[in-house]
Amino acid sequence: MIRRIGRNVTAAVFCLVWIFPVYWMVLTAFKPAGKILSPTPEFLPLDVTLDNFAGALAKPGFVQDLANSVVVVVSVVVLSIVVAFLAATALTRFRFFGRRSFLIGVLVLQMVPVPALVIPLFLGLKSAHLLDTLPGLILTYVALVLPFTIWTLRGFLHGIPVELEEAAMVDGATRGRVMRSVLLPLVLPGLIATSVFAFITAWNDFLFAYVIMKDSSGYTLPVWLVSFSTSTGTDYGGLIAASTLFALPVVVFFALVQRHLVEGMTAGAVKG
Amino acid sequence: MLLEKAPTRERTPRVSLLPYGLLLPAAALLGLVLGYPLVRLVVISLQEYGLRSLFTGTTRFAGGDNYAAVLADPQLLPVLGRSLGFCAALVAGTLVIASGVALLLQRLGRRMRTAVTLSLIAAWALPNVASTLVWQWLFQPGYGVVNWLLTRLGFGDLTQHDWTTSPASAFTLVWLLVVWQSVPFAALTLHAGLSQIPRSYYEAAALDGAGPWRVHRTITVPFLQPILGLVTILSVIWDFTVFNQIWILTQGGPGGGTTTLGIWTFTRAFSRNDFGQGAAIAVVSVALLAGLTAVYVRRLVRSGEDL
């Protein structure tokens, strides 16, 4: 009994600590300017306004940067899913020379510290005339998420019995058709999980967007967000409202598919 | 060699080019955007690559000059120690809290478990940059709610305290943020692992009269090991290369007091425009991380049966 109370109290304290920053962000976003910069905080939404959101959306660059972010995210998700699915199919449905080396290569690439790649990528994109362009950023993100997406999709495909495809082939379906109408529907949860991962990586990245997108074509949203704090001060109302808007799509997607994501991560690990 | 190992139920087409065709796009992208830059990184680290080379495209071979300069830099040892110590503190914090939460989740009632899970997901889903900016706001001198709370709790008047003015408190600020951000993934993954342990194991152990500690040691820990290994290795990689949080919160300051290898690489390359030395620092950190993760990768490769 005492144990159970102890556990529930611990859990409650944990919840409070972990949810508070998120709560504080949303609450601040709706507070009127006078209450944001007040030395004594108010913990309940007593006075709600949309001014901060209006201010954030009116900030220059928002439309351009939002458009950039959307283009980048959609391209990265589509490209990485297609590429990773093809690769994962090859890796789980065929035995061929070099298969193991490829897998080990993928694993090793996943271990590479990403910030270390900034310099050569910057220089490489510069000589390919892709600096300051969306395709440059898109290619970077696709490659960055590939080790993880290949690995995860491979885990999912591994769990689907080959017999199902063989049965379809016996019935006269071609390999392409088997892939489309047997494999694809079964692996859908895995595809969702990996697309969320690609989505989040591309939507959230700051470092590469900061380095690769310099000015002429605008930024992506994470860089736009940081531009709220300048050396002359920070517009906290606008900044926090913008952060809330920025977080919204991710929170929604995440809540929908979080289970698949964890499943995908662990699928590979348990078998190891 | 592979053909012998192939399970009999799997088809073994003779020589087919199809799998290579399927792999081609992935291989090309990985090679061009990860593989080639890695090689290029090493090459640049051996070149004199500054602003001039950026415009003219010509570089001079510098041999080991960049490495010599980096190794002779009095900043090297502090940065190295800081990076390793910081990584260790972050990984330890994440794993201890996450394991605790995962075990707690197993024992909670349904409603409380949902509440904890939702808090975890909320923290996890908040984009990195957004959480970092919210953090700045929480710890803001003058108006930050954390300072207000600490003052109320009797830690003295901290309302005007600026967390980024001393390296120790700046590190604390970053530590709290990164641990807050990384516990959800670790805890949920570990919990997923825990819930895959068959209940019958525990029932059998209870019949045999095993105490809770013994059950934990002989069933839970061994079963959880692969996932714990994965979570640990990913935490090491992520925490060793933490960039955004430090860059946005402190820019490596005050006085270089929170400059880790990642920040050092970046400022050398992009603020000082010395790409050669920046690359040399990056090569050193890749090598360090490779050393840290080698044991794990080797084990994975060895257990290659299902690879």
Side-chain angles (χ1 to χ4, degrees):
Chain A
M1 184 66 190
I2 291 180
R3 258 205 195 156
R4 217 184 63 205
I5 295 174
R7 281 201 291 265
N8 281 326
V9 171
T10 316
V13 171
F14 179 84
C15 282
L16 216 64
V17 174
W18 248 257
I19 203 81
F20 183 76
V22 182
Y23 174 74
W24 197 243
M25 173 183 83
V26 178
L27 191 68
T28 305
F30 285 102
K31 274 186 188 171
K35 290 203 170 167
I36 291 177
L37 294 183
S38 125
T40 28
E42 210 169 71
F43 290 93
L44 291 170
L46 302 174
D47 201 352
V48 168
T49 168
L50 292 175
D51 289 355
N52 298 318
F53 292 99
L57 297 186
K59 196 173 149 60
F62 172 70
V63 176
Q64 175 69 59
D65 295 353
L66 173 69
N68 280 350
S69 269
V70 170
V71 169
V72 168
V73 165
V74 172
S75 322
V76 169
V77 168
V78 172
L79 276 173
S80 65
I81 290 298
V82 171
V83 172
F85 181 66
L86 295 179
T89 308
L91 292 169
T92 53
R93 294 303 187 256
F94 296 91
R95 302 257 142 190
F96 55 93
F97 177 76
R99 196 183 68 99
R100 220 174 111 94
S101 325
F102 185 85
L103 268 169
I104 293 173
V106 167
L107 240 148
V108 171
L109 283 179
Q110 185 154 21
M111 305 284 165
V112 172
V114 173
L117 296 176
V118 173
I119 300 172
L121 263 175
F122 172 80
L123 298 175
L125 289 173
K126 188 174 185 307
S127 42
H129 300 288
L130 286 172
L131 210 58
D132 227 347
T133 67
L134 293 180
L137 201 58
I138 292 167
L139 283 182
T140 305
Y141 292 154
V142 172
L144 286 185
V145 300
L146 268 185
F148 178 88
T149 46
I150 292 176
W151 201 254
T152 309
L153 276 180
R154 181 186 149 269
F156 273 96
L157 281 175
H158 218 88
I160 299 171
V162 190
E163 283 81 357
L164 284 175
E165 293 148 59
E166 284 175 342
M169 300 239 284
V170 168
D171 289 346
T174 60
R175 266 213 186 266
R177 189 170 157 99
V178 169
M179 229 163 146
R180 266 200 318 278
S181 30
V182 181
L183 212 47
L184 210 53
L186 283 171
V187 82
L188 205 62
L191 291 179
I192 296 173
T194 38
S195 59
V196 172
F197 178 78
F199 172 88
I200 291 177
T201 307
W203 182 256
N204 289 358
D205 171 74
F206 169 75
L207 179 57
F208 287 96
Y210 187 54
V211 173
I212 293 173
M213 301 297 285
K214 263 313 175 195
D215 30 50
S216 58
S217 27
Y219 305 113
T220 54
L221 288 182
V223 184
W224 176 76
L225 266 184
V226 172
S227 73
F228 271 88
S229 48
T230 61
S231 50
T232 53
T234 305
D235 162 22
Y236 273 103
L239 171 68
I240 298 298
S243 302
T244 310
L245 287 177
F246 176 66
L248 202 63
V250 188
V251 176
V252 172
F253 271 95
F254 228 75
L256 290 176
V257 295
Q258 149 300 116
R259 209 171 284 273
H260 295 301
L261 203 63
V262 174
E263 205 177 284
M265 285 299 307
T266 43
V270 183
K271 284 182 198 122
Chain B
M1 165 192 115
L2 283 167
L3 288 175
E4 295 159 14
K5 272 193 192 165
T8 44
R9 68 190 179 99
E10 229 152 313
R11 299 170 54 86
T12 49
R14 259 140 276 153
V15 184
S16 162
L17 288 178
L18 185 55
Y20 296 104
L22 294 172
L23 273 187
L24 190 66
L29 272 162
L30 289 173
L32 275 176
V33 187
L34 298 180
Y36 168 71
L38 259 184
V39 176
R40 180 103 193 258
L41 181 71
V42 177
V43 174
I44 296 168
S45 75
L46 297 170
Q47 289 172 336
E48 197 177 276
Y49 207 121
L51 207 50
R52 198 173 155 67
S53 330
L54 209 54
F55 289 112
T56 59
T58 54
T59 49
R60 207 177 59 84
F61 183 68
D65 287 2
N66 290 323
Y67 289 93
V70 169
L71 292 177
D73 196 307
Q75 272 226 62
L76 176 74
L77 280 181
V79 169
L80 216 58
R82 211 176 281 139
S83 304
L84 290 171
F86 200 32
C87 176
L90 285 170
V91 173
T94 306
L95 287 181
V96 168
I97 298 176
S99 317
V101 174
L103 289 170
L104 186 68
L105 274 169
Q106 284 295 97
R107 289 167 179 73
L108 287 174
R110 235 194 54 175
R111 243 180 283 163
M112 211 59 202
R113 194 167 59 217
T114 311
V116 173
T117 311
L118 283 179
S119 327
L120 286 171
I121 292 176
W124 189 9
L126 211 59
N128 194 310
V129 170
S131 353
T132 310
L133 294 171
V134 168
W135 222 250
Q136 220 166 28
W137 171 230
L138 286 168
F139 291 84
Q140 177 70 15
Y143 308 107
V145 65
V146 174
N147 288 350
W148 177 87
L149 197 69
L150 289 175
T151 307
R152 272 308 190 78
L153 289 174
F155 288 92
D157 184 11
L158 288 171
T159 45
Q160 297 305 321
H161 180 69
D162 186 344
W163 288 71
T164 58
T165 47
S166 97
S169 81
F171 254 145
T172 311
L173 187 68
V174 177
W175 186 87
L176 287 169
L177 171 61
V178 176
V179 169
W180 180 80
Q181 286 178 316
S182 40
V183 159
F185 165 76
L188 288 173
T189 308
L190 288 174
H191 178 237
L194 278 176
S195 49
Q196 281 168 359
I197 305 178
R199 287 244 63 88
S200 54
Y201 287 20
Y202 289 109
E203 283 154 18
L207 280 179
D208 289 345
W213 177 239
R214 207 188 145 103
V215 169
H216 186 74
R217 226 187 39 209
T218 52
I219 301 177
T220 313
V221 173
F223 205 93
L224 211 56
Q225 214 151 36
I227 295 188
L228 203 59
L230 175 84
V231 173
T232 310
I233 205 75
L234 287 175
S235 302
V236 169
I237 297 172
W238 290 334
D239 294 343
F240 191 70
T241 57
V242 162
F243 180 85
N244 295 357
Q245 293 92 328
I246 302 180
W247 185 252
I248 296 173
L249 287 176
T250 70
Q251 303 236 331
T258 56
T259 298
T260 55
L261 279 167
I263 304 282
W264 206 32
T265 306
F266 190 81
T267 47
R268 245 330 125 87
F270 293 97
S271 311
R272 266 221 220 162
N273 287 309
D274 194 334
F275 293 94
Q277 282 190 22
I281 301 170
V283 169
V284 171
S285 38
V286 172
L288 260 174
L289 194 64
L292 288 177
T293 55
V295 185
Y296 179 78
V297 177
R298 229 183 47 200
R299 224 184 52 204
L300 261 185
V301 171
R302 279 230 185 112
S303 73
E305 204 64 44
D306 97 308
L307 205 65

